[in-house]
Amino acid sequence: MTEPQPLALPTAFLNGQFVPVEEAKISPFDRGFIFGDGVYEVIPYYAGRGLRAKEHLQRLQRSMDLLDLANPYPVEAWERHIAELLKRNGGGDQAVYIQVTRGVAKRDFAPPKGLTPTAFMMSNVLARPSQALYEKGLNCVTLDDFRWGRCQVKSTALLGAVLLKHEATQMGADDCVLFRDGYLTESSASNVAIVKNGVILCPPKDNFILPGITYDLMIELAQQHGMPLEMRKVTRKEVLNADEIWLTSSTKEVIAITTLDGRPVGHASHAGKPGPLFWRMLDHFQTYKQSLQRLPAAAE
Ligand SMILES: Cc1ncc(COP(=O)(O)O)c(C=O)c1O
């Protein structure tokens, strides 16, 4: 018998109140439940210091603007509530999950005016990938990206991503690398970049990918450290012949994809292993994370 997993760390936030996570209850008429009519964010905090927390809150606002959804709190209030949540959940490294839905209403596709949004937050222990996982890398399969045309919105309507990840895991893979009309988009819950001949190639931030905060940081770090990078459309052929493939997200940070469709990624001595540019990028990333500790913690 497997032990039941806790839903999250013990304290959650619901509409201005801090409550035990098991007691956070919403109406089945919430449009988030009925339609997936809502947005979310996942913000990593390391010993209370947010990694690009402002940028996450800005993206939350952009997602809401694209759905014409009212933000229940100004940035300072979100920051205050997050700091309190981190404190109540014991500090340390936590991933804060924020969800805002359009609120409770009679079931009707057209959103009525003047609804009160539902605001929910929880947090989980943030465990970075283990050294063994960094060295092994991920095993992915390529799949056709059939999601909608507004992937830049971080929406809670995630059925496309759920089905794609389900298909990948049923095939025995860790995750998928997605293509739309022959071009690389991203993964089910991460951005993807490749390396070819020493150049990092990144798909453009259009409406077919989520503009990842970690993706932006990776791009910035590459530029800062003189690693050649091009943001442009990347073909399926280029991905299949890549020297390295990387995946970025707030919880996975940067990790290499070392097997794609059952074949090792890369060539020669690092075929099927993370490549040299990956190790350089991971190093820059960890140094950046350490530099956060010089900043005041969110709860201070
Ligand atoms: C579809 C998708 N792409 C990319 C990302 C990575 O974004 P971030 O680096 O901001 O976590 C996510 C994160 O959840 C995602 O769901």
Side-chain angles (χ1 to χ4, degrees):
M1 281 251 295
T2 49
E3 288 285 302
Q5 291 285 308
L7 294 171
L9 285 167
T11 300
F13 170 94
L14 185 61
N15 298 327
Q17 307 292 321
F18 290 92
V19 291
V21 73
E22 310 276 351
E23 288 171 27
K25 301 274 191 286
I26 60 153
S27 163
F29 292 94
D30 193 284
R31 289 180 62 96
F33 180 68
I34 297 272
F35 294 118
D37 187 1
V39 298
Y40 76 108
E41 273 301 325
V42 177
I43 315 183
Y45 282 84
Y46 298 95
R49 279 83 173 167
L51 193 151
R52 302 264 150 130
K54 280 233 186 304
E55 286 79 353
H56 278 277
L57 291 172
Q58 282 162 1
R59 186 174 63 186
L60 182 71
Q61 184 64 58
R62 280 202 307 279
S63 294
M64 287 190 208
D65 291 346
L66 285 160
L67 300 191
D68 192 21
L69 207 162
N71 193 337
Y73 303 115
V75 168
E76 307 71 52
W78 278 118
E79 287 173 341
R80 223 179 31 253
H81 296 320
I82 291 170
E84 184 63 26
L85 184 72
L86 291 168
K87 197 163 87 184
R88 289 184 187 228
N89 279 331
D93 297 350
Q94 295 180 40
V96 172
Y97 175 91
I98 304 177
Q99 172 164 336
V100 180
T101 74
R102 205 179 298 272
V104 176
K106 179 174 186 303
R107 187 181 182 279
D108 185 355
F109 279 63
K113 285 205 189 325
L115 292 185
T116 306
T118 302
F120 170 71
M121 287 199 286
M122 62 179 166
S123 71
N124 281 288
V125 171
L126 178 60
R128 63 177 292 225
S130 64
Q131 188 60 26
L133 187 58
Y134 279 130
E135 277 165 26
K136 183 163 173 270
L138 299 178
N139 166 17
C140 289
V141 287
T142 59
L143 291 176
D144 192 33
D145 190 347
F146 57 74
R147 299 172 306 160
W148 69 332
R150 301 234 182 136
C151 294
Q152 79 273 36
V153 180
K154 200 163 167 64
S155 162
T156 56
L158 286 168
L159 192 53
V162 167
L163 292 179
L164 288 162
K165 176 98 180 205
H166 184 50
E167 191 174 340
T169 53
Q170 282 197 317
M171 291 164 83
D174 298 310
D175 214 325
C176 50
V177 173
L178 301 174
F179 294 89
R180 191 185 286 260
D181 300 329
Y183 290 100
L184 171 64
T185 54
E186 55 183 346
S187 181
S188 66
S190 313
N191 292 107
V192 176
I194 70 164
V195 175
K196 189 67 189 176
N197 299 329
V199 182
I200 306 166
L201 300 176
C202 302
K205 293 189 287 176
D206 57 18
N207 56 316
F208 293 125
I209 70 168
L210 184 81
I213 306 295
T214 323
Y215 193 60
D216 277 349
L217 177 57
M218 179 268 288
I219 291 167
E220 246 181 72
L221 291 172
Q223 286 164 345
Q224 241 174 51
H225 296 280
M227 298 169 80
L229 182 143
E230 279 175 37
M231 187 173 270
R232 63 156 171 86
K233 281 174 157 284
V234 177
T235 65
R236 183 182 173 87
K237 194 166 163 212
E238 286 177 306
V239 175
L240 297 180
N241 291 299
D243 298 332
E244 304 187 23
I245 309 178
W246 306 349
L247 194 141
T248 67
S249 85
S250 293
T251 49
K252 294 200 186 67
E253 305 181 349
V254 188
I255 192 151
I257 295 173
T258 48
T259 306
L260 189 63
D261 289 339
R263 284 187 292 273
V265 174
H267 313 282
S269 63
H270 66 83
K273 297 194 191 117
L277 266 64
F278 165 76
W279 292 115
R280 261 179 77 187
M281 178 52 72
L282 183 65
D283 205 37
H284 296 318
F285 199 87
Q286 298 311 327
T287 307
Y288 176 83
K289 263 173 60 186
Q290 279 153 19
S291 75
L292 294 177
Q293 295 310 315
R294 292 198 286 273
L295 303 172
E300 280 170 10

